[in-house]
């Protein structure tokens, strides 16, 4: 077993492990919002969607290619894939793609404006801006989820007294 770690074929094995993890997470994700079928709020999905995680992973490759003229460190890519896989099977709510209509409410209009701005920036700056945009989207959703969970816990704690 020790010789396996020193093997030059380690990278091929790690690719296979990453693909297995990713395939497992995609298989688990066929459950979008079936945990609570009575919920009427369809403005989010539980867990990170597969297209967003793919965009984030490929934006890392494009960003590294623009900055360092290579496709990035495989160790960082493996960590990124692991984090994205955990987010895909998590119960964190991520906002869905906005409806292409400004009459669908204030929240949808804000998301649509943000999406249009991000699209324009991605077209202008190409590989430089897509990674920060995708990381911001994921980070914003996680922070929003953490703040909402803390509010719920604080309100239930205060109702006990």
């Amino acid at each position: 077993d020790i010789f396996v770690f020193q093997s030059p074929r380690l990278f091929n094995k790690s690719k296979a492990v990453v693909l297995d993890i990713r395939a497992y997470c995609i298989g688990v994700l066929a459950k979008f919002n079936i945990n609570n079928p009575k919920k009427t709020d369809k403005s989010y999905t539980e867990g990170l969607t597969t297209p967003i995680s793919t965009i984030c992973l490929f934006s890392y490759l494009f960003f590294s290619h623009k900055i360092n003229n290579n496709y990035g460190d495989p160790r960082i890519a493996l960590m990124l894939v692991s984090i994205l896989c955990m987010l895909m099977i998590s119960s964190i709510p991520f906002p869905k793609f906005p409806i292409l209509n400004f009459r669908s409410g204030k929240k949808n209009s804000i998301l649509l404006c943000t999406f249009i701005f991000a699209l324009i920036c991605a077209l202008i700056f190409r590989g430089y801006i897509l990674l920060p945009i995708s990381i911001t989207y994921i980070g914003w959703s996680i922070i929003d989820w953490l703040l909402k969970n803390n509010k719920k816990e604080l309100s239930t704690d205060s109702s006990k007294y």
Side-chain angles (χ1 to χ4, degrees):
D1 289 342
I2 295 173
F3 296 108
V4 171
F5 292 110
Q6 296 174 354
S7 170
R9 289 187 255 167
L10 174 65
F11 189 71
N12 291 336
K13 290 180 183 181
S14 63
K15 279 186 192 177
V17 169
V18 168
L19 292 176
D20 287 343
I21 292 171
R22 193 144 167 97
Y24 171 75
C25 291
I26 290 170
V28 167
L29 273 177
K31 61 134 180 114
F32 281 123
N33 290 331
I34 63 170
N35 289 340
N36 299 321
K38 295 179 182 176
K39 281 189 176 180
T40 57
D41 187 13
K42 304 258 185 198
S43 64
Y44 69 91
T45 60
E46 282 188 25
L48 189 64
T49 59
T50 306
I52 298 297
S53 65
T54 306
I55 287 171
C56 187
L57 187 60
F58 282 110
S59 66
Y60 168 70
L61 296 175
F62 292 138
F63 186 78
S64 292
H65 186 65
K66 286 283 190 179
I67 299 292
N68 299 329
N69 206 19
N70 64 16
Y71 291 107
D73 188 5
R75 294 171 292 198
I76 295 173
L78 284 172
M79 288 303 298
L80 183 61
V81 167
S82 300
I83 292 168
L84 292 172
C85 287
M86 290 299 147
L87 289 172
M88 288 172 70
I89 59 175
S90 72
S91 62
I92 299 173
F94 288 91
K96 283 187 177 179
F97 187 81
I99 299 170
L100 298 175
N101 186 353
F102 284 106
R103 296 183 204 150
S104 297
K106 184 178 180 181
K107 186 176 181 179
N108 183 69
S109 297
I110 291 170
L111 281 173
L112 186 59
C113 288
T114 305
F115 173 74
I116 291 171
F117 177 72
L119 184 65
I120 291 170
C121 287
L123 291 173
I124 293 172
F125 298 112
R126 306 265 171 163
Y128 292 110
I129 198 76
L130 198 55
L131 182 65
I133 288 173
S134 59
I135 296 295
T136 302
Y137 169 78
I138 292 170
W140 175 44
S141 299
I142 293 171
I143 290 170
D144 187 43
W145 175 72
L146 288 172
L147 292 176
K148 285 181 181 176
N149 275 352
N150 275 343
K151 273 187 184 177
K152 287 179 186 176
E153 288 178 11
L154 289 175
S155 66
T156 57
D157 287 344
S158 64
S159 65
K160 290 179 184 178
Y161 301 112

